[in-house]
Amino acid sequence: MKWPKHYVYLLTGLGVSQLGNWIYLIALNVMIWNLTHSPAAVAGLYIIGPLVRIICNFFVGSYIDRWDKKKTVITTDLIRGFFVCLMPFVDQFWLIYALVGATNIASTFFGPSSTYLITVHVQDEHKQRFNALHSTLNSGSFMIGPALAGVILAIFNPGMAMWLNGVTFFLCAILLTFLPNEANLLHSSCSKI
C-alpha cells in the first residue's frame, strides 16, 4: 500500500521537531548551569514551561480554531527556531527565561495544530500505521535526542546544540510547507460523502 508523499513530509517534519526538543532540553539545562551554577535556576526551567502552558491554554484554543493550522504550525516552528537560535547570544539567565517562555507560548500553538494536521491529512485507513510510526519516532527521539545532545556538548558547546535545535525547527517548517492546503483536503473529503 503506497502512502501519499505528504505523509512522509508530515511524519519527518514532526519527528525532526521532536528530536530537536530533546536536544534543546539538555543543552538548555547545561547552558543555565554554566551561567549560574545554581540548581534553583535549572529547576526554574521546569516551572516556566508548565506555567506558560497553563496560562496560554485559557485562550490558545479560540485562536487555533480560527487560524489555518498549516500556517500556524509553520509560523510557530519558525518562531521557536528563531528564539532558540538567539539563546546562545544571551548571557543573562532572566533573558534566557524570557526566551524559554516565548518558545513555550509558540509550542502551545504548535501542539494542537499539529494534531489537527494529522487528523486532516492522514486518511482513516492509514491512521493506525501513521500513528504507530509517529509514536515510534517520538520514543526514538526520547532516546536519541539526549544522546546526540551529549555528543554535541562533549565536542562543541551548548550554543552549537541550540543552533542545531533551531535548524530542526526550521527544517520541520520547510517540510510542512509541502503539505496540501486544508481547504483542498476538506473539500475532497466532503465530495466523497
Side-chain angles (χ1 to χ4, degrees), residues 68-79:
D68 180 292
K69 311 307 180 291
K70 176 182 167 185
K71 288 179 182 173
T72 301
V73 170
I74 291 168
T75 303
T76 53
D77 252 343
L78 292 173
I79 290 169

Side-chain angles (χ1 to χ4, degrees), residues 42-106:
V42 175
L45 292 172
Y46 292 89
I47 297 170
I48 293 172
L51 187 63
V52 167
R53 284 191 290 273
I54 288 168
I55 294 167
C56 289
N57 282 338
F58 287 112
F59 62 86
V60 163
S62 61
Y63 286 105
I64 290 174
D65 288 342
R66 287 180 268 169
W67 293 345
D68 180 292
K69 311 307 180 291
K70 176 182 167 185
K71 288 179 182 173
T72 301
V73 170
I74 291 168
T75 303
T76 53
D77 252 343
L78 292 173
I79 290 169
R80 292 194 302 169
F82 175 72
F83 285 144
V84 167
C85 285
L86 276 181
M87 287 182 194
F89 298 107
V90 177
D91 59 359
Q92 295 178 342
F93 83 94
W94 64 271
L95 277 176
I96 294 177
Y97 275 19
L99 290 172
V100 168
T103 304
N104 274 281
I105 291 171

Side-chain angles (χ1 to χ4, degrees), residues 2-63:
K2 189 176 180 184
W3 274 27
K5 224 182 253 185
H6 68 269
Y7 286 12
V8 178
Y9 297 138
L10 184 57
L11 202 56
T12 306
L14 296 177
V16 164
S17 181
Q18 187 65 26
L19 179 67
N21 283 336
W22 285 106
I23 295 171
Y24 162 77
L25 182 64
I26 303 300
L28 185 60
N29 282 298
V30 173
M31 183 180 289
I32 289 291
W33 176 259
N34 288 344
L35 208 58
T36 65
H37 295 288
S38 165
V42 175
L45 292 172
Y46 292 89
I47 297 170
I48 293 172
L51 187 63
V52 167
R53 284 191 290 273
I54 288 168
I55 294 167
C56 289
N57 282 338
F58 287 112
F59 62 86
V60 163
S62 61
Y63 286 105

Side-chain angles (χ1 to χ4, degrees), residues 135-147:
S135 179
T136 302
L137 282 174
N138 284 344
S139 301
S141 298
F142 174 71
M143 294 189 312
I144 295 169

Side-chain angles (χ1 to χ4, degrees), residues 7 118-129 131:
Y7 286 12
I118 292 172
T119 304
V120 170
H121 285 80
V122 181
Q123 296 170 17
D124 288 340
E125 61 268 26
H126 299 145
K127 277 194 170 108
Q128 188 173 2
R129 185 177 172 205
N131 288 334

